[in-house]
Amino acid sequence: MLIPLILSGGSGTRLWPVSRKNLPKQFLELAGKGTLFQQTVARTQQLPHVAAPIVVASEDHRFLAADQLLEAGIEDAAIVLEPLARNTAPAIALGALQALQRDAEAVLLVLPADHLIGDTAAFVEAVQQALPLAAQGWLVTFGIRPDRPETGFGYIRRAEAIDGHGFRVEQFVEKPDLATAESYLADGGYDWNSGMFLFKASRYLEELAAHAPAMLAAVREAHAKASIDLDFVRIDHDAFALVPDKSIDYAVMEKTQRAAVIPVSCAWSDIGSWSALWLTGDKDADGNLREGDTMPVDTRNSLLRSHERHLLATVGVDDLIVVTTPDATLVAHRDAAQDVKKIVEQLKAAGRSEHSLHRVVYRPWGSYDSLEEGQRFQVKRIVVKPGASLSLQKHHHRAEHWIVVSGTAEVTCDDKVFLLSENQSTYIPLGSRHRLRNPGKLPLELIEVQSGSYLGEDDIVRYDDVYGRA
């Protein structure tokens, strides 16, 4: 059984301000149709005899992953929730243990959820070439044939050929400086380390037992204590906290004697920075990659990305990254794109929310957009998906006014349950138990006006929640 294992725990800090902790890059539409996560899942469906995927995701992103799988037509995936980040080696071990519950001979195709592949046919061919090696017990990685001296990737040095298409791995090499990267390109025996793998689940666990036994024991304990929550496999927090933080390269691939590489040219990118996205995109005659309402004048070789209803104009600039969102704007030189993460670090240190939250915040029931905020008031635009419901709750410090813009709202307020249609409104007094539900088949949109002494999202007492939130 060939089982895709989609690793979806990344935070994508180098693509701030579009990618943020609560909505990272894998769940965004950055290039082509669908999000990077959905594109990754769709590629696996091109493989013959492929099983439903296993997704290892952050607990914070569980509903994003579930919703996007459903949008992609995948209804039988297993979603394993990491209670905290512990790097790729433990995440893959969780996926391997989960896969062995389906099939003792399961073969895992390990794919990061946030990569872009332009040539799916070449990718599928490479996977099929790797399958015989995996059957022989090799741990196969996919090396991307380099087309430039890249300093942002690790490299793989190929050794002798094995089984027609693959090579034994001689060495994994850290990210080089420019001169070294140029020598690798000239040598012709090096490939970029893609972070994609193919191997039998049992073989990976054997190698982990040999090279990182403490890690494997801790992961087994955490997985054994997992609980089923709705459609999710929730890994035990306390047990997983004891798992060492280590990548698969350090834990296994650099130590095993059975590492193989399949070289492939498939228009691959890890979309690791805005510069990487600029490289992959379709540009105008002046070399500009443009998204949204943009107006470049005397502007060349730049990435310009504007959010909806916002004109982004540039004059007399070259080699810039300019990205706007409703609550933040980034201006950077393309050569400094890797340093965008430093802004995220400073936002965290300053206690600001822009590193983790967008103005539009997504919830399992829909989303809300904070339109205006002042002393003792806040205005939000709330969208509730058809059939979805917010929790039965109350607030200690604020009252709320709801005005329906479109759709139908079912409102619970203490002992009353009633319907509101377009242009109708209601008042939710401070301290009242209330719930908002969309009983219709179209999205419910309403404007919420909050007023009170404290308007934080933590002023909430939940009595009943279909999504299992506390």
Side-chain angles (χ1 to χ4, degrees):
M1 183 181 291
L2 176 61
I3 303 177
L5 173 58
I6 313 298
L7 303 181
S8 186
S11 56
T13 56
R14 291 181 180 87
L15 290 183
W16 186 89
V18 172
S19 174
R20 305 191 191 184
K21 180 182 177 183
N22 280 26
L23 187 61
K25 67 174 181 175
Q26 60 265 33
F27 298 113
L28 298 170
E29 290 193 23
L30 293 172
K33 183 179 179 181
T35 67
L36 295 177
F37 175 79
Q38 290 173 323
Q39 290 179 30
T40 301
V41 173
R43 277 194 296 276
T44 68
Q45 302 305 297
Q46 303 303 309
L47 292 160
H49 312 299
V50 71
I54 297 171
V55 176
V56 178
S58 164
E59 197 169 289
D60 293 337
H61 304 148
R62 62 194 186 278
F63 295 111
L64 284 169
D67 284 351
Q68 293 198 3
L69 284 168
L70 287 176
E71 288 176 7
I74 307 295
E75 298 183 356
D76 49 356
I79 304 177
V80 180
L81 302 180
E82 290 182 299
L84 62 168
R86 281 296 182 266
N87 219 311
T88 53
I92 295 170
L94 287 174
L97 291 169
Q98 195 69 28
L100 289 175
Q101 292 182 348
R102 296 191 198 174
D103 180 4
E105 298 297 318
V107 175
L108 290 180
L109 174 60
V110 181
L111 302 173
D114 55 0
H115 290 185
L116 184 68
I117 292 179
D119 188 344
T120 298
F123 164 78
V124 169
E125 183 180 1
V127 172
Q128 292 177 312
Q129 291 170 353
L131 283 169
L133 290 174
Q136 297 167 29
W138 290 91
L139 277 62
V140 185
T141 185
F142 297 92
I144 306 301
R145 287 285 174 89
D147 57 9
R148 63 184 185 276
E150 176 62 59
T151 61
F153 303 143
Y155 284 71
I156 300 169
R157 171 69 171 173
R158 283 179 255 125
E160 72 274 9
I162 49 176
D163 200 38
H165 300 289
F167 298 82
R168 187 178 61 82
V169 172
E170 180 174 310
Q171 185 184 10
F172 288 88
V173 184
E174 294 292 327
K175 297 175 183 178
D177 58 26
L178 181 58
T180 304
E182 288 173 340
S183 72
Y184 290 166
L185 187 63
D187 180 281
Y190 291 83
D191 301 307
W192 291 335
N193 187 352
S194 71
M196 301 186 294
F197 305 91
L198 184 86
F199 39 65
K200 293 177 72 172
S202 59
R203 280 288 297 120
Y204 176 71
L205 296 180
E206 287 174 7
E207 294 284 352
L208 203 59
H211 304 296
M215 176 188 293
L216 179 57
V219 172
R220 283 190 185 278
E221 178 77 6
H223 187 263
K225 293 181 176 179
S227 59
I228 303 300
D229 177 11
L230 299 176
D231 295 327
F232 308 111
V233 180
R234 190 182 290 273
I235 300 302
D236 183 80
H237 179 281
D238 292 343
F240 201 65
L242 301 177
V243 174
D245 184 327
K246 193 171 288 188
S247 72
I248 180 178
D249 286 350
Y250 286 126
V252 173
M253 296 303 290
E254 293 182 2
K255 298 175 181 176
T256 180
Q257 298 300 307
R258 299 283 287 174
V261 58
I262 296 284
V264 57
S265 296
C266 57
W268 170 91
S269 174
D270 70 343
I271 312 294
S273 68
W274 287 114
S275 288
L277 186 62
W278 176 82
L279 281 171
T280 65
D282 294 329
K283 305 171 189 67
D284 65 17
D286 292 315
N288 300 311
L289 178 61
R290 299 163 58 186
E291 179 77 23
D293 190 3
T294 60
M295 186 178 292
V297 176
D298 191 23
T299 298
R300 287 170 292 276
N301 302 323
S302 295
L303 185 150
L304 310 175
R305 185 183 180 98
S306 171
H307 68 85
E308 59 184 25
R309 301 190 302 275
H310 185 97
L311 172 63
L312 170 58
T314 57
V315 181
V317 298
D318 299 337
D319 303 312
L320 283 189
I321 295 164
V322 186
V323 179
T324 70
T325 68
D327 63 344
T329 299
L330 169 70
V331 181
H333 196 278
R334 278 202 300 110
D335 292 343
Q338 293 286 344
D339 292 330
V340 170
K341 64 179 182 179
K342 295 179 180 178
I343 296 175
V344 176
E345 292 166 359
Q346 291 195 25
L347 289 169
K348 288 181 183 178
R352 299 184 58 140
S353 64
E354 290 94 338
H355 77 278
S356 61
L357 294 175
H358 285 270
R359 201 185 78 176
V360 177
V361 177
Y362 292 89
R363 292 287 188 253
W365 45 261
S367 64
Y368 67 83
D369 183 358
S370 297
L371 303 176
E372 187 68 38
E373 185 174 1
Q375 190 171 5
R376 296 183 64 88
F377 81 91
Q378 184 170 207
V379 180
K380 291 182 177 180
R381 173 180 173 265
I382 295 177
V383 178
V384 185
K385 294 183 288 189
S389 171
L390 282 68
S391 58
L392 181 65
Q393 59 186 255
K394 76 173 182 180
H395 309 294
H396 290 297
H397 303 287
R398 72 174 185 255
E400 296 173 345
H401 299 257
W402 295 344
I403 305 101
V404 175
V405 176
S406 62
T408 300
E410 180 187 278
V411 177
T412 299
C413 185
D414 291 326
D415 57 350
K416 298 178 181 178
V417 180
F418 52 93
L419 296 177
L420 295 177
S421 56
E422 292 182 13
N423 299 320
Q424 292 184 321
S425 63
T426 191
Y427 170 65
I428 308 296
L430 184 151
S432 293
R433 292 193 185 199
H434 60 279
R435 187 200 299 270
L436 177 64
R437 190 175 81 87
N438 180 359
K441 296 182 179 180
L442 298 174
L444 163 65
E445 181 180 348
L446 58 85
I447 299 298
E448 176 182 83
V449 180
Q450 302 176 356
S451 60
S453 59
Y454 178 73
L455 305 174
E457 286 300 309
D458 54 347
D459 177 24
I460 183 170
V461 178
R462 288 193 176 97
Y463 295 99
D464 177 53
D465 184 66
V466 297
Y467 307 106
R469 298 171 296 173

